[in-house]
Amino acid sequence: MRWIRRLSAETGETAEVVGGKAHGLVALHRLGLPVPAGFVVTAEACREYLRDGCLPDGLEDELRRAMSDLETATGRDFGGVRRPLAVSVRSGASVSMPGMMDTILNLGLTAESTAALAAETGDERFALSSRERFLAGFAAAIGDGRPIPDDAARQLALAVRTVFSSWDAPRAQTYRELHGIPHHLGTAVIVQAMVFGNRDDRSGTGVAFSRDPNTGANVPFGEVLFGRQGEEVVSGGSRTRPLRELADREPAVWAALLDALSRIEGHYRDACYVEFTFEAGVLWLLQARPGRFDGAAAVRLATDLVDERVIGRGEALLRVSPQHLRHVRTPRIVAGEADVLARGLGACPGVATGRVATTSDSAVRMAADGPVVLVRPETSPHDLRGLAAAAGIVTARGGPASHAAVVARAMGKPAVVGVADLVVDAGSVSAGGRTIGAGTLVTIDGTGGEVVLGDPGTVTPAADAHLRRLLGWADDVSGDHNGRTESERLGAAHAVLRGASGRRE
Amino acid sequence: MTHLATDLLVLHTLRCIGFAGTARIAATAGLSEADAESELIDLAVTGLVTHQAGEFGGWGLTASGRAADAERITGELEAAAARPALTAAFDGFLVLNPELLDLCTAWQLRSVDGVVVANDHSDQSYDDRVLDRFTDFHRRAVVVLDEISAALPRFGRYRFRLADALQRATCGASEYLTDDIASYHAVWAELHEDLLATLGIPR
């Protein structure tokens, strides 16, 4: 086939051809890990589509053949009335553009197939909610109110065109301009048999790092959402639980996940990140990539990998960017003893301690008597004076580009956003099953995204033992033991190491 | 904001920008400070707004002020039979909104060696690139802004204020992208709030 490659251990294509996501899936196949059967439509097909405005000659035929192979592999029937096959259709460019392009889940659930799925599982509610999710998600991705065909093959062709087109969405174009990504690359499209995280109460979905990305400690870290489907964890819209809860609720899934994380680490010789779904107690991996830690976590990871004899000192030095060290003098919460109430995304670095205020009015009132942390579901222009009065900001919703995040950075105030399980009431705040009243003292860390009770004190990563060790190696490499900033010491070592291996910066 | 009675204009400005001082209310509404203050005092007498002293003090809506604004601004929308057109234009706004937030974030943060760090504005070519994208964004935003003000002419002031913020930023006052109280981001957020308030959509 010209435009399509089956995803398997034998797929011998580069990330340029099949995209980064598919490349990672091939690696998982080679490691013998559970990956839903599927295939990838190459980025070249996308380039043809974007140039000509229609799918390239032969692609629709190839899609039919690839689907027929997928039916054979899964023993299911796409658009069928017995054992129906549903698929996910996801973008996967050769460069990472998180959240910029479309994903369509549960495709192939026509009216008839949905009835068949209900009959097969004996769970009509599950089948109907899966179809609803498909229709709503697909309609949002298409965007122009066109009707969704009730024919599985036509749905698939439309979904491939929709994902191709999303490469050229204005927001995606802007993202590429800002990040220096060429516009001509296009995206591959990955089609895989659906695994249903919403199947029953022994199903769910999650994301996991093999090590804690906040500290670098060698402890798996992540979030899990029971009884739900993939996109809801990544988008942070639903109530996620700490990854560790898997161990109690689904020990077999947990054990399989630990085994997978360890094998993927071995493959990348680095910490790793995976997205996974489990259906009826069986684990499936949907994506894997290296962990991409930063700051103190990157330093801890690099030195630990040296101790574990995974990499040498030179490589450890090169894995930490001098940029990572520019903020090592930014205070962080003392991690050990802190009573963590909730975790979100750090949106503006720094630590703030103050009493919880749940409205801008009360923040202004309370700020007269000492520092305040403003905790809101999200912020709007109405919160500007509360933001101005507060020492730090926490929001339940929104990501690093939310109103609260942009304003907090403009004001230089520590901020934590996207605390998924945070509920803000008039006089109290709840998270992780605990409720605290307005006026309670909390401390927030705008680097790691922690919200902790009381005042645990702060520490600067510059004093961290792992960093001192790494910088000691750096000075040995550069031969320069004079006092300089952390970033300069590492940069000098990089210059020597890059020079020695003939590489250029 | 043309075509609104001055008292409603001031009331609705407060509804969209939240608590603020007289100068900012006047600048947002396009009134002189004296006119704005006179209206604010009248509104305070009728119990629709309230004034607080202190460091973060200023004018704010009371609960009845908020209710009165909702009723009158809905009346304006229905009288102009503008709900369908404004709703359609709001859909266009929602497509642009995440991109604008991406741009603001790109101005404040950048990815270096795969690490997101604060943009220290030492790389002129990066900043120029972001500013170029703001300009390109604004060209496309104007199409939607025109649809919005075609539905309700008072929204025309947002186009003027956004263009003004971008113009200042282009001329070197880069705080008018994300940092100033009259920045592109701040005006955009007020427009968002106004659209929600006018259409009666809860946040």
Side-chain angles (χ1 to χ4, degrees), chain A residues 100 170-171 174 177-178 294 321 323-324 326 364 380-382 384-385 388-389 400-401 403 406-407 409-410, chain B residues 15-17 19 52 56 99 101-102 105-106 108-109 112-113 115 120 129-130 133 140 179 185 189 193 203:
Chain A
M100 291 292 144
R171 188 177 175 212
T174 294
E177 285 286 334
L178 294 173
D294 60 15
S321 158
Q323 292 287 345
H324 287 155
R326 283 174 53 190
V364 168
S380 76
H382 285 250
L384 280 186
R385 71 173 188 141
H403 179 267
V406 172
V407 174
R409 288 191 292 263
Chain B
R15 169 66 186 83
C16 297
I17 70 176
F19 218 86
Q52 278 176 31
F56 301 101
E99 188 184 348
L101 290 169
D102 288 346
T105 303
Q108 296 176 320
L109 304 175
V112 181
D113 296 343
V115 188
D120 63 8
R129 208 154 73 220
V130 178
R133 298 316 295 173
R140 287 178 283 123
D179 293 1
H185 176 259
E193 193 66 23
R203 260 197 182 269

Side-chain angles (χ1 to χ4, degrees), chain A residues 34-204:
Chain A
V35 180
F39 57 85
V40 56
V41 185
T42 63
E44 193 194 348
C46 178
R47 290 192 289 272
E48 295 260 328
Y49 174 78
L50 293 174
R51 195 190 62 206
D52 302 339
C54 56
L55 293 181
D57 283 347
L59 176 55
E60 296 212 37
D61 269 346
E62 290 191 16
L63 279 173
R64 265 189 291 279
R65 277 157 57 201
M67 276 321 290
S68 156
D69 290 349
L70 195 54
E71 288 175 325
T72 309
T74 56
R76 309 188 72 90
D77 186 1
F78 187 50
V81 294
R82 262 193 70 254
R83 289 178 57 76
L85 172 64
V87 295
S88 66
V89 180
R90 300 188 291 160
S91 66
S94 57
V95 287
S96 174
M97 291 173 52
M100 291 292 144
M101 287 178 287
D102 291 325
T103 289
I104 297 138
L105 299 181
N106 307 343
L107 184 133
L109 287 183
T110 58
E112 279 189 328
S113 289
T114 306
L117 186 65
E120 180 192 344
T121 58
D123 188 344
E124 188 177 20
R125 224 177 75 174
F126 153 68
L128 288 176
S129 88
S130 299
R131 174 167 159 86
E132 269 167 34
R133 210 160 295 197
F134 159 60
L135 293 175
F138 202 9
I142 298 172
D144 62 3
R146 244 184 306 172
I148 294 168
D150 199 42
D151 172 273
R154 286 174 57 210
Q155 287 173 1
L156 179 64
L158 179 58
V160 170
R161 287 204 300 271
T162 302
V163 176
F164 280 168
S165 299
S166 70
W167 173 262
D168 264 346
R171 188 177 175 212
Q173 291 191 33
T174 294
Y175 183 92
R176 290 197 294 274
E177 285 286 334
L178 294 173
H179 293 85
I181 300 168
H183 290 299
H184 70 266
L185 295 176
T187 180
V189 175
I190 298 161
V191 179
Q192 281 178 291
M194 265 320 290
V195 183
F196 292 101
N198 58 335
R199 173 72 187 80
D200 56 25
D201 60 7
R202 298 201 53 207
S203 305

Side-chain angles (χ1 to χ4, degrees), chain A residues 180-326:
Chain A
I181 300 168
H183 290 299
H184 70 266
L185 295 176
T187 180
V189 175
I190 298 161
V191 179
Q192 281 178 291
M194 265 320 290
V195 183
F196 292 101
N198 58 335
R199 173 72 187 80
D200 56 25
D201 60 7
R202 298 201 53 207
S203 305
T205 184
V207 298
F209 288 94
S210 57
R211 306 186 187 216
D212 187 336
N214 301 300
T215 62
N218 192 0
V219 186
F221 182 92
E223 291 174 306
V224 60
L225 191 53
F226 291 94
R228 298 293 179 83
Q229 278 196 317
E231 293 309 291
E232 296 170 73
V233 176
V234 184
S235 65
S238 292
R239 301 291 178 82
T240 56
R241 306 298 311 162
L243 184 65
R244 194 69 182 71
E245 288 192 12
L246 252 188
D248 297 329
R249 277 188 58 169
E250 290 299 330
V253 172
W254 174 248
L257 181 64
L258 291 187
D259 171 59
L261 289 172
S262 143
R263 278 198 264 170
I264 298 164
E265 269 210 356
H267 170 73
Y268 287 123
R269 296 168 55 247
D270 199 349
C272 66
Y273 165 88
V274 302
E275 295 178 10
F276 64 92
T277 288
F278 49 104
E279 179 179 330
V282 178
L283 175 74
W284 297 90
L285 299 174
L286 306 181
Q287 186 178 348
R289 59 166 170 78
R292 298 182 196 140
F293 290 2
D294 60 15
V299 172
R300 166 88 186 263
L301 171 64
T303 54
D304 280 359
L305 288 175
V306 169
D307 291 341
E308 293 162 26
R309 299 180 181 283
V310 175
I311 59 175
R313 289 184 181 184
E315 186 165 357
L317 287 166
L318 286 170
R319 284 203 185 174
V320 181
S321 158
Q323 292 287 345
H324 287 155
L325 303 186
R326 283 174 53 190

